[in-house]
Each structure stands twice: as C-alpha cells, then as structure tokens.
Amino acid sequence: MEPTLVAIAGSTGSIGTQTLDVIRAENLRNPGSYEVVALGAGRSTDLLIEQAREFAPSVVVVTDGDARGVVVSSLSSTAVSGDLPDLVGPADVVVNGVVGFAGLTVTIDTLKAGKRLALANKESLIAAGPVVQPLRSIPGAELVPVDSEHCALHQCLRSSVNPEREVAQLLLTASGGPFRGRTAAELSEITVEAALAHPTWSMGPKITVDSSTLMNKGLEVIEAHELYGTPYDQIDVVVHPQSIIHSMVEFTDGSTIAQLSLPDMRLPIGYALGFPDRIASPFGRIDWSSLERLDFEPPDRATFRCLDLAYEAGRVGGTGPAWLSAANEVAVDAFLTGNLAWNEIPDVCVDVMAVHDGATPNTVDDVVEADAEARRTASRLLSKRRNNKND
Ligand code: MG
C-alpha cells in the first residue's frame, strides 16, 4: 500500500506534536503507512529541527525570518521556505494546527488544491466561514475537523445516507468547565488560577478560560453549523461532565447515535489522517468495568451567557462570528492580565456586538480587517468600562 503523505502546519504546537505521535504509532504497527512530507512552524526552531531529523520531510516552512536562518543552517539537505502554503504541494493530507489567522492561508490553499484538510485552526470556520465555504465544493477538497465534538458528529453522521433530510438535531456535549453548578453571584470572584483548572482536558490558557465561560462551546456550535450546514435551531448543547460522549446526532426516527471514547486529541487527529479508514492504534480505551455512569444536564444559559451570545452571532452571520471571537479574545486577555472580572467577559462581548456593522466578508483581507476592527472596538469599550468604574 502507498503511504499517506502528510503535511503538518504548526508542527511544534499541541496538535502538531500529537499528529507526529499518531504517525509514529501507526508506522510502528504498519510500517510505511504514513510519510511526513512537510513540516511548518513559526519560531520553535529546536523542536522543528529535531522533528525534521526524525521524519526527513522534503520541505520545512519557517514563518519567522530569524528562526528560518537558524533552520537553514542546521538542515542543509532540506528545502526551507517562509510560506505556509508551500506545505500543501507534496501532501495528500494537510493538518492545519496553526493557531490564529496565519492558519487561514493553509486552509484556503489546501482546499483550492483539492486535498484533504485535517482542520484544527478555529479561525478558518468561525471567522472566515463565508470565505472558506465555497472552496469545499472544489473536486477532491475535503474538510475533516480535528476537534473532539466535530469529529464525533462527523462519525455519527456517517450512519445516515441522507443527513440533510434525516438529521433532527446535533447535540454537542460540554464538560461544563470548572464552574458548573455555581451561581452568578459565586462567579463574580473567580480567580485566574481557578479558571485555568479544567476538570477533564488539558489545554492552553485562552481555550481553558473559554471552556469555563462556555464561549468555547458556543464557538463550536458556530463551527458545527458551518461544517454540516445544520440550522442553529437544530443544534443543541448538553452538559456531560465525564467527557466520554464527545457529541451525538439525533435522527428523524428518534434514534440517537453517540461517539464515545476517552478524551484524547490523538483520536480526532488519527480519524482525520486515516479517513475514510480508521487507524489501527487506540489512544486509550474505555474500561467498561469501571465506567459507572454518564451524566447529562442542560447548560445554565442565564449564568453562562457566552453560549447564547455565540448563537446570536452565528445567526447574524457574515462577520458576526469574527467580531464575537475577537471581542472575546480581548476580554479573555484582559481577564488573564487582571484587568477584567471573569463574569464581565460576556459584558464586553455584548458591548462590542452592539456596534457590529453587519458586513459580509468576501476575502481573507475582509476577515482580517473585521477582526482588527472588532479588537479596536473591544479595547476602546474595555477602557471606557474601566474609566466608568474608577469614576
Ligand atoms: Mg472541542
């Protein structure tokens, strides 16, 4: 069998290193099943050089100029480039684990080249949905999400030959974050340390805060809508503290199909690499003799207001999700640096969305400009809020 040729954008980040874990495990089981043909990173030269020595890709992309110089002098026999899209050419599958807007070009070029995109870059669908969507109909272009919930939905949807007609609703599960069950009053004194202690997943600070506010889940609702075209009225969120069921699809006949596994990002990564086949290596298996219960409850939408803010922004469409996501980033940053209370994060988002201009982005530049405009607005409204407080 021919190896699957893989390019990894963001190879030194969390998704990138876990992708290489999956490839190592798969090649150990079935030698030669995957070949890493391209690696891309920003500045982490030591790890990138180590990865390149182990996997011998034909091209390495380093976006930071100084870092590129270091890599060029260490990897004499490898082509080194500064442009992320150079990763796409040699690959069958491109894993996009780039954080932020820099990942947009990888998404666009992969789909334009008619290749499979294993997508972990959030901006591609949340902020740039209207720009990315039309590219999905290019022959050969295929978008497989690398996120536990959307991967679960992807798997569940395969049990229907006509999802457009047969899906009654998508049910995204949420762990509920560390503050599940607390009242709004209790949440006014949340510290940064408390917000960063996630019960089931270990992630970076920004996304951990987002999961404590349920903004992460709200943005995932927008992603699910973009990925599967399901109307917002037919996407619901259910809190499931054990993080064993990663999402479910209810069909028109009342059947609900769920995907269960231990919480480990290597499963969605392996699913996207192997699709339509399943990889051979499990990363943890459920121990049915010790799994005692699976609990469910509705989210507390009145206390965790970010969830409904995301539904609203999704329904507005156009640059609405880009604005909300940018406003939230500015607010979370202010919280992490001690300049905003945890329970004021949704207030900042509401303030920003109140002046959203309702535009529709047609190009990547439009998306980047919408993001910048929303950040400027958020910063302005944040300082206004602080000044009002000090008066
Ligand atoms: Mg997720």
Side-chain angles (χ1 to χ4, degrees), residues 6-12 16-17 19-20 23 36-42 47-63 71 75 78-81 83-84 86-87 90 95:
V6 183
I8 307 171
S11 70
T12 56
T17 53
T19 302
L20 292 173
I23 289 174
V36 176
V37 291
L39 293 171
L47 182 54
L48 180 63
I49 291 164
E50 195 184 309
Q51 291 175 340
R53 292 201 169 122
E54 180 183 352
F55 290 94
S58 55
V59 60
V60 167
V61 173
V62 191
T63 51
V71 173
L75 299 174
T78 312
V80 180
S81 148
D83 291 321
L84 279 170
D86 286 345
L87 295 167
V95 178

Side-chain angles (χ1 to χ4, degrees), residues 147-149 216 220:
D147 193 347
S148 59
E149 294 79 2
N216 181 54
E220 286 180 351

